[in-house]
Amino acid sequence: MRIFPILAGLLLSCAVAESQEINPEAARIPDRQVSVTEFGAVADGITSNTEAFRKAVEALSKQGGGHLNVPEGLYLTGPIVLKSGIDLHLEKGAVILMSPDKSEFVVSGSVKPCITASKSHDVSISGEGIIDGNGSWWRAVKRGKVSDVEWKAFLSRGGTSDDGGKLWYPFGLKHYDDIAPDAKAQEKMRTHLVRFTDCERVSVTGVTLQNAPKFHLVPQRCTDVRIEGVTVRCPWNAQNGDGIDIMQSSRVLVRGCTVDVGDDGICLKAGAGEKALKDGPCKDILIEGNTVFHAHGGFVIGSEFSGGIENVIVRHNTFMGTDTGLRFKSAPERGGKTSGIRISDIVMADIAGEAIVFETSYADRPAGHEDNVAATTAAFVPDFTDILIERVTCRGCMTAIKASGTIAMIHGITVRDAVFFYEKTGTAIDDPGMITLEKVRLETY
């Protein structure tokens, strides 16, 4: 009679062991070095260096790749497109500042990411410097999330107020042209700071990524991705200011990073709807030794994951002051299935809302738009399952564990060996069969 639990335990041990061995290949960069200044770059914060970066990348690419060094100084630029075999290396004191002129990023009718690589291999960003997206020239601002001084500073740029003066758009600015016919259309055109699409062997190490127009670091449909020792930061109130978003990528390591952002901290996504099934799951992910300060969630799955999330280890991470700690969010029409999610050794403090939360009626709410009503059809319903969360310590949260939805969407979840000090609610779980609690200690005042 004991053969089934023993076999299940062995299978779980094997799955965890396999995940712990996830070790993506690093980008292979030829031992060749050039400086961007050799191609006319000027570090005065005024001269546009877009063409200098383009020439440097082209020259290195023709030679088979190498290290493109950015010396100390302030380099204003438009979009940078990296190619196979190239490492963009920022020396200590080097700052790449993206132009506040949004029109520079419009290429052939679409808005390009600030730094990007597509269908390439062995691409890297490294060093001790800073890449700044100048995102305040792109993002809408909610009046209730800034001080009087900050609000006046935004208004001094020109722009457009809406919603009875509760919202400011960087549309109709004094010194820069618009790229859309109206403020809401331009808001939808905000771009990512760094995005790799359909690439193999991607490495991002050491650098600071800050003030993105939208998300900061996005590997999308990539294989063998290493993100190590990276600092990601932006104002706490930055609209859609996600930190690290892993999208339908496989063999990914996120280790030793510090994240302090305006939206989700470290997030896994796998698309929505039929197309997501073709693009495949987000799988074989190891997230360890990271610290997340402000964020809507420390570690997040969703809201879109129709392609599935498989074989994920999240361990030895610290969340301090996030809105939620471990956040699983989705809704019909954008949901999928999780499998092999193992989360352990998580330390949390001062969590504004829930330490652990499952929500299955999530609605996206872009700035200036009416709340979207979550879909009620049966297509692509979330299936949060096969999730083990253990050895969690949380001091300070409103609610320890919350799960909203049906048991068909939330099941096969175990939380064990955990301690929560909460202020309002211990557990708020719609159906007791959703989550199994083992040796969970709940304390309050």
Side-chain angles (χ1 to χ4, degrees):
M1 295 294 292
R2 289 180 54 82
I3 184 170
F4 294 107
I6 292 173
L7 180 58
L10 288 173
L11 290 173
L12 174 60
S13 299
C14 291
V16 172
E18 181 181 353
S19 298
Q20 290 172 335
E21 294 173 3
I22 295 170
N23 188 26
E25 291 187 59
R28 305 166 186 168
I29 308 298
D31 190 16
R32 181 182 297 110
Q33 301 195 27
V34 300
S35 172
V36 70
T37 58
E38 298 173 29
F39 298 86
V42 180
D44 60 5
I46 298 174
T47 303
S48 174
N49 292 289
T50 308
E51 189 65 10
F53 278 107
R54 187 193 67 78
K55 289 179 179 178
V57 170
E58 287 293 333
L60 264 181
S61 182
K62 288 179 180 178
Q63 299 177 69
H67 301 272
L68 173 53
N69 295 328
V70 183
E72 179 180 356
L74 180 59
Y75 300 84
L76 186 71
T77 185
I80 298 172
V81 180
L82 299 177
K83 296 188 176 183
S84 297
I86 292 179
D87 167 44
L88 178 64
H89 181 81
L90 287 79
E91 298 178 5
K92 188 174 183 178
V95 177
I96 294 177
L97 180 65
M98 296 298 156
S99 172
D101 184 355
K102 292 184 281 292
S103 64
E104 286 202 45
F105 299 86
V106 180
V107 180
S108 301
S110 63
V111 180
K112 301 299 181 184
C114 299
I115 298 178
T116 188
S118 178
K119 297 180 180 178
S120 301
H121 60 85
D122 301 297
V123 185
S124 170
I125 299 176
S126 67
E128 299 179 72
I130 298 171
I131 300 173
D132 191 308
N134 234 339
S136 66
W137 294 96
W138 289 81
R139 298 187 299 260
V141 177
K142 295 178 179 178
R143 177 64 184 91
K145 289 189 174 183
V146 296
S147 67
D148 291 346
V149 173
E150 292 170 308
W151 185 249
K152 289 178 181 178
F154 284 114
L155 294 180
S156 71
R157 297 179 177 185
T160 301
S161 293
D162 197 2
D163 194 21
K166 296 179 181 179
L167 190 64
W168 176 86
Y169 291 101
F171 182 85
L173 297 170
K174 293 178 180 178
H175 304 295
Y176 300 105
D177 293 335
D178 298 314
I179 58 173
D182 59 69
K184 291 184 178 180
Q186 185 167 279
E187 169 70 11
K188 293 180 179 179
M189 297 174 73
R190 286 190 290 133
T191 189
H192 299 151
L193 181 55
V194 178
R195 187 173 75 200
F196 302 100
T197 306
D198 300 308
C199 293
E200 297 180 6
R201 292 185 297 279
V202 173
S203 298
V204 183
T205 56
V207 294
T208 294
L209 307 176
Q210 65 179 34
N211 296 327
K214 195 173 181 182
F215 301 167
H216 286 78
L217 177 54
V218 183
Q220 183 177 28
R221 298 190 303 272
C222 294
T223 56
D224 288 299
V225 179
R226 300 184 69 92
I227 302 169
E228 298 180 275
V230 173
T231 297
V232 184
R233 58 189 296 271
C234 69
W236 71 272
N237 50 15
Q239 188 76 17
N240 304 116
D242 286 26
I244 300 171
D245 279 21
I246 310 299
M247 298 185 177
Q248 289 178 291
S249 296
S250 60
R251 294 198 299 277
V252 179
L253 170 66
V254 182
R255 174 188 287 157
C257 297
T258 300
V259 179
D260 191 342
V261 293
D263 209 307
D264 290 329
I266 301 172
C267 184
L268 304 184
K269 298 178 182 290
E274 291 289 345
K275 184 179 183 301
L277 297 180
K278 297 177 183 178
D279 290 339
C282 197
K283 66 177 183 178
D284 301 332
I285 316 290
L286 175 56
I287 298 170
E288 67 176 358
N290 305 286
T291 300
V292 181
F293 292 105
H294 188 274
H296 286 184
F299 169 74
V300 182
I301 290 179
S303 62
E304 320 88 59
F305 71 107
S306 298
I309 308 288
E310 303 174 6
N311 191 28
V312 177
I313 290 289
V314 181
R315 63 189 183 193
H316 302 295
N317 296 284
T318 302
F319 308 144
M320 304 284 292
T322 56
D323 291 349
T324 61
L326 300 170
R327 186 184 190 191
F328 306 85
K329 60 175 181 175
S330 192
E333 293 190 357
R334 63 174 69 194
K337 185 174 183 178
T338 63
S339 63
I341 313 298
R342 305 294 176 250
I343 300 172
S344 64
D345 302 290
I346 305 297
V347 174
M348 308 186 208
D350 300 324
I351 306 302
E354 302 88 4
I356 300 173
V357 59
F358 292 84
E359 49 187 319
T360 56
S361 58
Y362 177 81
D364 192 17
R365 299 176 178 86
H369 292 257
E370 295 182 2
D371 290 356
N372 293 334
V373 178
T376 57
T377 64
F380 300 101
V381 173
D383 187 3
F384 289 115
T385 188
D386 193 15
I387 299 173
L388 171 63
I389 302 170
E390 60 183 343
R391 298 190 298 279
V392 174
T393 303
C394 177
R395 170 74 191 194
C397 60
M398 292 303 292
T399 301
I401 305 170
K402 182 178 180 179
S404 301
T406 68
I407 199 165
M409 293 188 281
I410 306 170
H411 58 105
I413 316 294
T414 298
V415 179
R416 71 187 185 197
D417 298 324
V419 179
F420 301 90
F421 187 92
Y422 64 91
E423 295 187 19
K424 186 177 180 180
T425 306
T427 61
I429 302 171
D430 285 356
D431 188 311
M434 291 176 172
I435 301 177
T436 299
L437 305 181
E438 300 177 359
K439 298 182 181 178
V440 172
R441 181 181 172 190
L442 300 169
E443 298 283 352
T444 189
Y445 292 106

